[in-house]
Amino acid sequence: MSFLKMMALIRSKVMHSLRSKVKQSKVMHSKFMQSKVMHSNGVRRSQVQSSIFFLLLAIFSLYIAFRIPHHIDENTSSTRNTIDKYNENAIVGLEKKLEEKDEIIEALQDQVDQQMNQQLLFEKDHSNGKLTTELRRKKENTGTKRKITRISLLGERNSGTTWMSKHLIECFNSTNLSVRNTLTRYKHWFQDESIDANKHQETLVIAQFRDVYQWVEAMRSKPHQAPMHWNIHEKRKLGWEDFLTKSWTMPRTRKDMEYLRHNFEKGINSTSMIECHRTFSFNEINACLKDPFDEKEYKLYKDDGVGAGLTEPRYEFVPDGSGRAFQSIIDMRAAKIENFLSVVDYEFVSQLLVVRYEDALAKGTEFVIREIEELTGVKATCQPNAAQPERPGRELPYAQIEWMNKYVKWETEHKIGYTQLEPEIQKVEML
């Protein structure tokens, strides 16, 4: 029962009692007047006292009857004020929560829009057969524009660069453009602007990437220059979890350590000053020497079963001079992507063109050739490669997709147009 209903019931009972007492008082008074002759003085005095008592009781009842509604009104008013204040606070709180939810929704929408835009960076414009202009990484025009005379192709191992390089040579090497698999270093490795900075021509750089899921599987099947990421004794690939979580390095070989000691004896006490193959220094790569294995190890790794070039290890370190190894191949890939994208800021690089291997297979290479023609002003002397949409992809275990969704550097992958797979998708339709 509510408070208001309870107070109304009390009021009703008090009024009923009041009416009864008043009526009883009247009756007693009438009897007193009729019996004043019949009774003695003592009896009459007793009746008078009784009448006075009931009269006072009636007056008190009237007071209570009219006082209670007043309290009810006061309590009701107070209760209403409390409820109104509570409702007002609740409304304000609700409005704040709605505003917060709106902000969250807007932020999520921005993320979705950003991912969709990144996904569309490399989509073909079917009206004219060109790529969207976002595919180009332009730099600020700081002076007179110089004519592009060289094309440099960059790309990690197992990213289709051998196929693309042959095609670009076919299309442009007989023109005024030269096609190279190097920029400051060979196409697979971290680039460094300080290497032979004065010897470079004005260059168009093509950075080619492959979907991270498929690239990891290709590297696991053929880990070029990464002998610790292959089961050499059983001549088979590692399990996906071992492959992805294993540090991207190897123990220094005996030959490497002898070379280090030899340099120390010559007075070269800094590993950054000790020269290694491929223009690296000792604190930038493992192994330092091109052929670091002794005869027994060389024979073991030469017969690797897949032709992955395990006899010439190339474990690059974090490119900050610290000599630190990458925690995993995933960390190395993220740093390599950032490094390749940064070459647009090199003084001798005119433009950077980002190409995804999957697009070149699924759509053919015409979009790449036409973009190069527009950027260089040079006409290709070849026919673009036809699309190969039927090329199958590798199947990935559910657990591997989940792991990669969690640990891959997706902020970096988004920069080149790649997004996460749903774990339910067991196969990626790209090679």
Side-chain angles (χ1 to χ4, degrees):
M1 183 180 294
S2 67
F3 174 76
L4 294 177
K5 288 184 178 181
M6 183 182 296
M7 296 306 297
L9 181 59
I10 293 173
R11 180 179 179 183
S12 174
K13 290 184 177 181
V14 170
M15 292 300 293
H16 178 71
S17 174
L18 175 62
R19 292 189 189 96
S20 298
K21 296 303 180 182
V22 171
K23 184 176 181 181
Q24 186 178 1
S25 177
K26 288 180 180 180
V27 172
M28 293 300 296
H29 180 68
S30 176
K31 288 183 179 180
F32 169 72
M33 294 301 293
Q34 292 175 4
S35 62
K36 66 181 178 177
V37 177
M38 298 172 58
H39 294 83
S40 64
N41 291 335
V43 173
R44 286 198 299 270
R45 189 164 42 251
S46 177
Q47 289 177 341
V48 169
Q49 290 174 351
S50 179
S51 296
I52 292 172
F53 170 76
F54 284 115
L55 183 59
L56 291 174
L57 182 60
I59 293 171
F60 178 74
S61 298
L62 285 171
Y63 171 79
I64 294 298
F66 287 100
R67 182 61 179 164
I68 286 177
H70 176 70
H71 282 292
I72 292 174
D73 292 339
E74 287 181 350
N75 290 333
T76 302
S77 177
S78 176
T79 301
R80 287 175 179 170
N81 290 337
T82 301
I83 292 174
D84 290 343
K85 187 175 181 180
Y86 173 81
N87 288 339
E88 182 179 353
N89 292 336
I91 291 171
V92 172
L94 182 60
E95 289 176 346
K96 288 182 179 179
K97 288 182 179 180
L98 289 174
E99 289 177 359
E100 292 174 357
K101 287 182 178 179
D102 288 341
E103 292 176 358
I104 292 173
I105 291 172
E106 289 178 3
L108 290 174
Q109 185 61 49
D110 289 342
Q111 291 180 9
V112 171
D113 291 343
Q114 183 180 4
Q115 289 188 9
M116 290 183 67
N117 289 336
Q118 290 165 343
Q119 186 69 24
L120 293 173
L121 286 182
F122 308 98
E123 287 299 318
K124 193 175 182 180
D125 181 353
H126 296 288
S127 62
N128 58 18
K130 295 178 183 178
L131 290 178
T132 55
T133 55
E134 287 85 352
L135 184 63
R136 305 176 190 174
R137 299 271 175 168
K138 297 183 178 181
K139 63 182 179 182
E140 296 296 328
N141 187 6
T142 57
T144 304
K145 185 175 181 180
R146 292 173 292 181
K147 184 177 180 180
I148 294 174
T149 59
R150 185 176 72 169
I151 299 173
S152 288
L153 177 66
L154 303 178
E156 252 294 352
R157 294 150 282 188
N158 291 305
S159 295
T161 55
T162 300
W163 169 72
M164 180 62 74
S165 176
K166 291 178 179 178
H167 186 49
L168 294 179
I169 289 172
E170 177 190 3
C171 293
F172 293 103
N173 240 18
S174 61
T175 68
N176 294 329
L177 295 174
S178 62
V179 178
R180 297 288 182 267
N181 287 322
T182 61
L183 184 59
T184 64
R185 289 189 178 120
Y186 188 61
K187 61 181 179 178
H188 296 327
W189 316 127
F190 284 105
Q191 304 299 305
D192 184 349
E193 187 177 13
S194 66
I195 300 173
D196 295 333
N198 298 321
K199 299 181 181 180
H200 298 291
Q201 306 172 41
E202 194 67 12
T203 303
L204 165 64
V205 175
I206 299 176
Q208 183 161 304
F209 301 99
R210 187 176 187 177
D211 167 77
V212 62
Y213 299 98
Q214 295 295 295
W215 179 75
V216 160
E217 283 302 286
M219 286 293 289
R220 191 160 72 96
S221 297
K222 188 174 284 191
H224 294 286
Q225 291 89 37
M228 295 297 104
H229 288 71
W230 178 256
N231 188 331
I232 190 63
H233 298 290
E234 298 181 15
K235 293 183 171 50
R236 63 173 178 83
K237 61 185 178 182
L238 299 179
W240 70 263
E241 191 167 7
D242 289 340
F243 183 81
L244 289 174
T245 58
K246 194 178 183 67
S247 294
W248 192 249
T249 189
M250 60 180 283
R252 286 285 183 181
T253 65
R254 181 182 57 80
K255 284 187 175 181
D256 256 18
M257 296 307 295
E258 288 178 353
Y259 179 68
L260 176 65
R261 185 175 65 255
H262 175 69
N263 278 274
F264 282 171
E265 290 173 352
K266 291 195 313 182
I268 304 175
N269 297 322
S270 173
T271 55
S272 64
M273 301 298 293
I274 299 176
E275 296 181 356
C276 302
H277 69 291
R278 300 286 187 181
T279 67
F280 286 99
S281 60
F282 200 90
N283 66 335
E284 292 178 322
I285 197 168
N286 187 9
C288 176
L289 300 176
K290 182 180 180 181
D291 299 309
F293 293 120
D294 58 27
E295 185 176 355
K296 182 178 179 180
E297 290 174 320
Y298 180 85
K299 289 180 179 179
L300 177 65
Y301 286 112
K302 182 176 176 57
D303 185 22
D304 57 31
V306 290
L310 302 184
T311 58
E312 298 181 10
R314 302 286 186 274
Y315 284 110
E316 296 169 284
F317 292 157
V318 178
D320 58 3
S322 64
R324 293 180 296 117
F326 287 104
Q327 292 296 313
S328 70
I329 188 175
I330 292 298
D331 293 332
M332 186 276 291
R333 174 184 166 93
K336 189 69 65 72
I337 292 171
E338 296 287 1
N339 176 259
F340 285 176
L341 295 182
S342 73
V343 302
V344 71
D345 296 322
Y346 291 6
E347 182 180 357
F348 52 87
V349 173
S350 176
Q351 296 283 353
L352 171 64
L353 186 63
V354 177
V355 176
R356 297 193 307 185
Y357 178 49
E358 303 79 41
D359 292 339
L361 288 178
K363 303 173 184 179
T365 61
E366 182 177 3
F367 70 89
V368 179
I369 301 304
R370 299 295 171 253
E371 193 76 4
I372 294 172
E373 288 178 337
E374 182 175 330
L375 290 171
T376 63
V378 176
K379 186 71 174 176
T381 59
C382 68
Q383 289 295 320
N385 287 339
Q388 305 176 54
E390 72 283 356
R391 294 283 290 271
R394 291 176 168 85
E395 295 184 3
L396 279 72
Y398 179 94
Q400 182 179 349
I401 295 175
E402 279 195 320
W403 189 96
M404 294 182 67
N405 284 350
K406 183 176 181 180
Y407 293 107
V408 167
K409 313 299 184 184
W410 289 107
E411 289 185 4
T412 302
E413 296 291 334
H414 292 164
K415 294 180 181 180
I416 53 175
Y418 293 119
T419 55
Q420 290 177 311
L421 284 178
E422 292 297 329
E424 292 78 11
I425 300 176
Q426 296 295 310
K427 188 173 183 179
V428 187
E429 293 181 357
M430 56 186 88
L431 205 147

